[in-house]
Structures are given as C-alpha cells and as structure tokens.
Amino acid sequence: MITGERMAVVDENAAALGVSQKQLMESSGHALARTIRAVADTGSTIAVVAGRGNNGGDAFVAARFLEDYDLTISLLGRAERIGTDIARENWDALQRAGFDTQEVTDSSEFDLPECDVVVDAMLGTGISGDLREPAASAAAAINASDATVVSVDVPSGFDANDGDHGDDGVDADHVVTFHDTKPGLADLAADVTVADIGIPAAAERFVGPGDVRLARPDGREGRPYIIGGGPYTGAPALAAQAALRGGSELSFVAAPDAVAGEIQGYSEDLIVQPYERDDDVLTPETAQDLLETAQEYDNVVVLGPGLGTADETLEAARQFLESFEGRVVVDADALRVVPNLETDATLVCTPNRRELAGMGGPDVDDLEAAADEVEAFAADLGHLVLAKGATDVITDGERTRISRSGTAGMKVGGTGDTLAGIVAALMTYADPLEAAAAAAHVNGLAGERLAETEAFGFLASDMLKEIPAALWNETDE
C-alpha cells in the first residue's frame, strides 16, 4: 500500500532512474484501457471526463486504445491550462487524430452524454476535501447516470493520504490504481485493479530526488538543540552549522564552559550556551538542567557529538534519553547507551559500521547487502537506525531505504556530524524516516559536489556550503 504523497515521490525517483513520467503515463493509459475493455461491451458508448493533470493524461492515452468504441472526451477547463507537458502532448495527439474532444470551461456547460461507461479522470491522489467546480457538477452528473463508472487511480474526491474524502466525490464501480493500492480503496464497494506500470522497485528502495523534495522545508523552520562537546569541540560545531545550512532558523549548542568559547569560535552564527555548572564534561546533574530546557522548547535535540565516553557522561546521556519525550538524533558516543534503553522519545540513531556493531547490530563491511539484518536490528532496538557507510541504510524496523549518494572522500572525519545536523533540521519538518533518508542523500550529494573538483582533499567543514545546493537544487543536478 502506498499513499498519494509517497506515490509522487516514487514517480520522481523513477524518472531519476531513467523511467520517465511519459513512459509511466503510456503504461498507465494502456492499463486503464484494458480494464475499460473488460467492462464495456462491443459497440458501447464511452464518455471520458478528464481533468487538467496527469490523471487526465492517463485517460487521453487510454482513449487511443479505445478508438473502436463510440468515444467522447471532455476536458474540464481550457486545453492551454493543462498542467503538464506530457498530458498536453497526449491531448494534442487526440485532437490531431480527430477524436471527439471538447473543452468545458464553465460548470453550466457540462453535459454528460448518454453512455454505457464513463471514465472518471478528473482528479487524482493529490486532492482532498470537497470538489470544486466544474468537477463538482461533473461528479454529480456521473453519480446520477446509469453508466458503469471507471475511475483512474482513485475516484475523484477520494483522499489517498489522510482520508479527507469529499462528500460530493464520484461513486465508482471500478477503480484502476497504479503501482500499488492506496489507503482506503479496499473499503470502497468498487472493484479495484492494481496495475503494474513498470516502476522499478529501486524507485521505492533507493533514496532519490522525490524523497528530498518531500522532506525539505519550504523556508526557515526549527531550532535544533545540540548537546555535545567536552573532549572534542569540532563535532558539535559541525552539526550545528549543518542544521543551519539545512534550513533551521537558529542552532543552539550546549557545552561545558571550558570549551564553549572554542565552539563559538568556529562560527558566529551559532548560539553557544555554556553549562550552568562548572563541569568539564556532561554530568547527570547538568543533563537534568538541559532536560528542563529541552522540554520547555520542544526542539529537535542532537545528543552525542564530541561528548566523550566518561562514565558520568554516558550515565548523563542515559538519564536524559530516559526522561525526554521529544525528538532526538543520537550520534557518536551517546549511541552506547541506546540498547536496552527505556524511553518515550523518538530516536534517530546514526551509527557508523563500528558503532552499529557495538550497539549489537550486524558487524559487516557492506551495509546494503546486510540491509535486512539492519532492519531486523532496528525492529529489536525499537528505534530508527541510519547506519552510515559507503552506502547508508535507513530503517525503522518495518520500512527501509538505501542511500547510495556519497564519495570515498567522505571518509574524512566530521561528515557524520554534518549528517546529524541535517537530520535534525529536516526532522522539524518531516517524518523521522523521511527526514533521515533525505538527510543521508543530501549529505552524500554535498560530498559529491566537492569531489567534482577535489576528490579526496576536502574537509567536512567544506561540505557545509554545499548542503543548501544539494537540498534545494538537487533535482537540477
């Protein structure tokens, strides 16, 4: 099962793999025509009622395979306002071939012809709520007719994401949905056909531009709270700066007073807050202070970069996570306390291969080959895992994505810290799995951009300036 929102991601990823939207529309239209032929007797009259999106485009393709029927195609709106080039191309093909087409520019002009079968291709999976004109009038006419109704992908007015179905939607007898069934279709009285339209499994499995588009913020949003530093100062600074580059409006770092100035020195854009207590490392007492701050503001927390492995620090990390109920990216040394942890927090754990094995996960060189093992480990752990390697595996124990972006030059220290910051930035806006998958891809793309001119000589700090381009311009690469 796949939501309409996720289906748009898969379509975009398929295009990045070389399976174009035009190819998919041709496959969808052909599949639709097969179902129409199955329900329409020889000599039947068929009326296609199409919208200006790709849903209508699918029906335009189908019409070419139904030329031996008495066929009419009604477009709701003006042809020059068809929303995509490929849908417009298929409309133009029908007109040049002499099909019976008409444009309906006003709801009062819509008149459903007498027909045996009506094809509802008005609206697809991206629509929710009650229909607007002229679709509302068209849907009413379709529902009032005695014709067999075949809907394309979902009935118009059916919400394939959140179940916000319109009260005036189309009552379909048959639904031809593409690639996979959609949430709620099984509850309809209609016969549902799931048509394979040739989308590779890789479009769902591998992170691509669709995943990035879904997870990235529309603007500045979020104020991640990075708890790190002590023995090491660069790690929390990199994570905090990466969060800013990933769209956060502010980035806070809580660190021991002894190193706060050094962390601030990396960038004037950070807000560095020294511990109130005179501790050189994170202690349980300080962790309680930080917990109160984190609970008050409910921002995404990044716990771990540069913390060190002192016994009192690990105990402090454990106590923080056990008491916190918000969203946390757990990285580096803090990962040691996650196994057997009892917490209501939403954790995204970002271990490298060595840290993954130390947590009790698979000890392997090839994470992609061991993706099923990583998924099983995440299920047992009860938390989302973003396992970092030459290929990244992102899994919540049920759903798994693979990110293949990146370059050998990213073996340099600090790239995991930039990743943690990007995850935190995107978690403000997106579902944790979506945020983690997109962040892994963006972090790798940032490295790839640098590798075009300096294959092995760049630093993690160099990647910071590439994050915005990788995140917002990724589909233009």
Side-chain angles (χ1 to χ4, degrees):
M1 185 176 296
I2 190 169
T3 64
E5 183 178 63
R6 183 69 195 161
M7 189 66 216
V9 169
V10 172
D11 280 347
E12 193 169 342
N13 288 352
L17 293 170
V19 183
S20 69
Q21 291 276 334
K22 188 172 184 176
Q23 289 173 282
L24 296 180
M25 182 172 287
E26 192 71 18
S27 295
S28 299
H30 199 181
L32 173 62
R34 287 197 299 271
T35 293
I36 295 170
R37 284 187 171 280
V39 301
D41 295 330
T42 302
S44 291
T45 301
I46 300 173
V48 175
V49 184
R52 291 181 284 109
N54 282 345
N55 201 251
D58 296 334
F60 302 154
V61 171
R64 301 201 320 267
F65 295 96
L66 301 170
E67 197 168 4
D68 50 336
Y69 289 90
D70 183 0
L71 180 69
T72 61
I73 303 103
S74 299
L75 172 66
L76 301 186
R78 300 185 184 278
E80 61 263 27
R81 297 187 63 189
I82 291 176
T84 67
D85 290 341
I86 53 175
R88 187 178 301 109
E89 287 175 10
N90 281 294
W91 170 261
D92 291 343
L94 294 181
Q95 292 199 300
R96 287 193 295 267
F99 281 78
D100 184 359
T101 63
Q102 63 171 334
E103 300 174 33
V104 180
T105 58
D106 189 294
S107 58
S108 63
E109 299 175 0
F110 181 78
D111 182 22
L112 182 68
E114 289 291 328
C115 57
D116 301 301
V117 176
V118 59
V119 179
D120 160 35
M122 295 186 292
L123 301 169
T125 57
I127 303 299
S128 63
D130 289 343
L131 301 179
R132 294 182 292 181
E133 296 294 354
S137 293
I142 291 171
N143 290 340
S145 76
D146 293 327
T148 299
V149 180
V150 179
S151 287
V152 181
D153 211 8
V154 296
S156 294
F158 183 94
D159 180 9
N161 289 316
D162 302 315
D164 183 18
H165 309 312
D167 292 332
D168 54 354
V170 169
D171 295 326
D173 299 301
H174 301 270
V175 178
V176 183
T177 197
F178 305 122
H179 181 62
D180 200 351
T181 191
K182 312 302 186 297
L185 284 183
D187 298 330
L188 298 180
D191 292 329
V192 178
T193 299
V194 179
D196 183 349
I197 57 173
I199 293 177
E204 289 199 67
R205 182 78 162 173
F206 296 115
V207 185
D211 298 275
V212 174
R213 178 188 50 76
L214 181 63
R216 67 187 170 208
D218 296 327
R220 289 286 183 183
E221 188 175 356
R223 302 181 174 190
Y225 188 45
I226 288 81
I227 300 174
Y232 310 100
T233 59
L238 284 170
Q241 291 176 88
L244 289 173
R245 296 289 188 169
S248 297
E249 56 183 350
L250 295 172
S251 194
F252 295 86
V253 180
D257 183 61
V259 297
E262 185 176 343
I263 295 172
Q264 184 70 75
Y266 288 110
S267 174
E268 64 273 23
D269 299 302
L270 306 181
I271 301 174
V272 182
Q273 300 174 325
Y275 297 163
E276 294 180 3
R277 302 172 191 270
D278 189 20
D279 299 326
D280 292 334
V281 296
L282 182 65
T283 65
E285 293 77 19
T286 294
Q288 182 60 39
D289 298 336
L290 302 181
L291 174 65
E292 293 171 3
T293 300
Q295 289 174 327
E296 179 179 358
Y297 293 100
D298 192 31
N299 293 313
V300 178
V301 172
V302 180
L303 179 65
L307 277 183
T309 58
D311 289 344
E312 59 185 337
T313 296
L314 296 181
E315 181 57 30
R318 179 182 298 280
Q319 289 184 17
F320 182 93
L321 293 174
E322 286 178 341
S323 302
F324 192 53
E325 297 181 356
R327 298 156 293 171
V328 189
V329 181
V330 186
D331 189 39
D333 299 323
L335 290 165
R336 299 185 181 206
V337 307
V338 173
N340 303 314
L341 183 74
E342 294 292 335
T343 181
D344 292 327
T346 298
L347 305 187
V348 175
C349 302
T350 58
N352 58 32
R353 290 186 294 108
R354 176 181 54 81
E355 291 163 337
L356 178 67
M359 295 173 69
D363 186 359
V364 295
D365 292 329
D366 187 342
L367 289 173
E368 182 179 352
D372 289 346
E373 296 176 60
V374 179
E375 181 179 282
F377 171 69
D380 290 341
L381 190 66
H383 304 293
L384 193 149
V385 172
L386 194 174
K388 302 175 293 192
T391 299
D392 300 329
V393 176
I394 308 97
T395 178
D396 60 5
E398 295 182 355
R399 301 169 296 169
T400 297
R401 307 274 187 268
I402 308 293
S403 175
R404 300 185 291 186
S405 66
T407 173
M410 291 177 65
K411 290 181 179 179
V412 67
T415 58
D417 301 309
T418 59
L419 173 58
I422 301 169
V423 174
L426 300 187
M427 273 182 73
T428 301
Y429 179 80
D431 164 91
L433 181 70
E434 294 166 356
H441 194 60
V442 166
N443 198 53
L445 289 173
E448 288 180 6
R449 293 174 68 91
L450 286 170
E452 292 175 2
T453 55
E454 42 187 328
F456 296 106
F458 64 85
L459 305 175
S461 55
D462 297 327
M463 288 175 54
L464 294 171
K465 67 180 181 296
E466 301 294 342
I467 292 170
L471 180 55
W472 281 280
N473 299 331
E474 195 274 339
T475 53
D476 296 330
E477 288 297 298

